[in-house]
Amino acid sequence: MEGMAYGAGKAGGAFDPITFFQQPHTVLRMVSWLFSLVIFGCIANEGYVNRPNEVVEYCVYNRNQNACNYAVGMGTLAFLCCMAFLALDVYFPQISSVKDRKKAVLADVGVSAFWSFVWFVGFCFLTNQWQVAKLDDNPLKEGADAARAAITFAFFSIFTWAGQAFLAFQRYKLGADSALFSQDYTDPSQDAAAAPYSAFTSGDDLESPGGTGSYQQPSGDGAFDGSAGYQRQDY
């Protein structure tokens, strides 16, 4: 893709919301944002239940508070992370430095791969705790739908974040078009100002008749001879 640097054109262009929302990594980022919101909302609202004779509420996942805390904490952090990277996606085309773009894309690869692993662990953890949960702890099966929804969307989040990591890696492999984005580019005006003044040692206008580049005294034949006296010149 000529004139592109890590998936975006040269800096300074106008922001196009239609093109922005049609980008595959933007779509996956928004889907991941929605999934994290669902996971957080399900556990925060209906993830804590108790027995009929109890007042204190416990986590719906086998009364393991760590399971609910994991889902709520990771859901919140993933939500904020998606918002941060969406803001970076908006600002990314305005980044003029190729090196800064490379750092942003590499960060996208690492963070997305990390969250894919986090949701894989979360899916396994929540599924295990839901399977070993006792019916006596929740005879009315309160919050069962919310618990299953959190597990389901944690499973889907594995692939949405993995997809973001894959797309970011593709952008990293794409690199930059050296014709328009040179990492060694320097401003010509600054380069000219920094260059030392050099002596003129050659040039068509300054070359000597002998072509050696140095001054040569005329030969004796062409020198003025005072003994010859004045010679009249015909014009």
Side-chain angles (χ1 to χ4, degrees), residues 198-230:
S198 58
F200 293 97
T201 58
S202 63
D204 295 340
D205 295 338
L206 300 178
E207 288 185 353
S208 62
T212 60
S214 59
Y215 174 76
Q216 294 182 355
Q217 185 177 0
S219 60
D221 296 340
F224 174 74
D225 187 2
S227 62
Y230 175 78

Side-chain angles (χ1 to χ4, degrees), residues 50-229:
N50 56 358
R51 297 174 182 174
N53 58 346
E54 292 179 340
V55 177
V56 180
E57 294 183 339
Y58 296 91
C59 179
V60 70
Y61 295 106
N62 195 33
R63 294 199 162 197
N64 189 344
Q65 297 296 107
N66 292 329
C68 288
N69 292 339
Y70 187 94
V72 172
M74 296 301 101
T76 303
L77 293 177
F79 174 84
L80 297 176
C81 187
C82 286
M83 294 292 292
F85 272 91
L86 281 172
L88 178 61
D89 289 340
V90 175
Y91 178 70
F92 187 82
Q94 305 302 322
I95 300 177
S96 59
S97 173
V98 177
K99 293 183 179 180
D100 291 341
R101 288 192 179 191
K102 181 179 179 180
K103 294 177 182 178
V105 172
L106 288 176
D108 193 1
V109 173
V111 172
S112 299
F114 168 77
W115 277 110
S116 181
F117 174 76
V118 166
W119 285 123
F120 173 76
V121 174
F123 168 74
C124 296
F125 184 33
L126 297 179
T127 301
N128 175 261
Q129 293 301 305
W130 180 247
Q131 289 176 345
V132 299
K134 300 177 181 179
L135 182 60
D136 296 339
D137 295 333
N138 187 16
L140 301 178
K141 297 183 178 180
E142 296 176 338
D145 293 338
R148 296 190 188 96
I151 293 174
T152 301
F153 285 102
F155 176 75
F156 291 154
S157 296
I158 298 173
F159 300 100
T160 57
W161 283 102
Q164 293 180 60
F166 174 76
L167 292 176
F169 182 71
Q170 291 295 106
R171 292 162 61 195
Y172 172 75
K173 289 176 59 179
L174 179 64
D177 180 12
S178 59
L180 295 178
F181 295 88
S182 176
Q183 298 187 20
D184 298 329
Y185 173 80
T186 55
D187 190 346
S189 60
Q190 296 179 358
D191 186 63
Y197 291 100
S198 58
F200 293 97
T201 58
S202 63
D204 295 340
D205 295 338
L206 300 178
E207 288 185 353
S208 62
T212 60
S214 59
Y215 174 76
Q216 294 182 355
Q217 185 177 0
S219 60
D221 296 340
F224 174 74
D225 187 2
S227 62

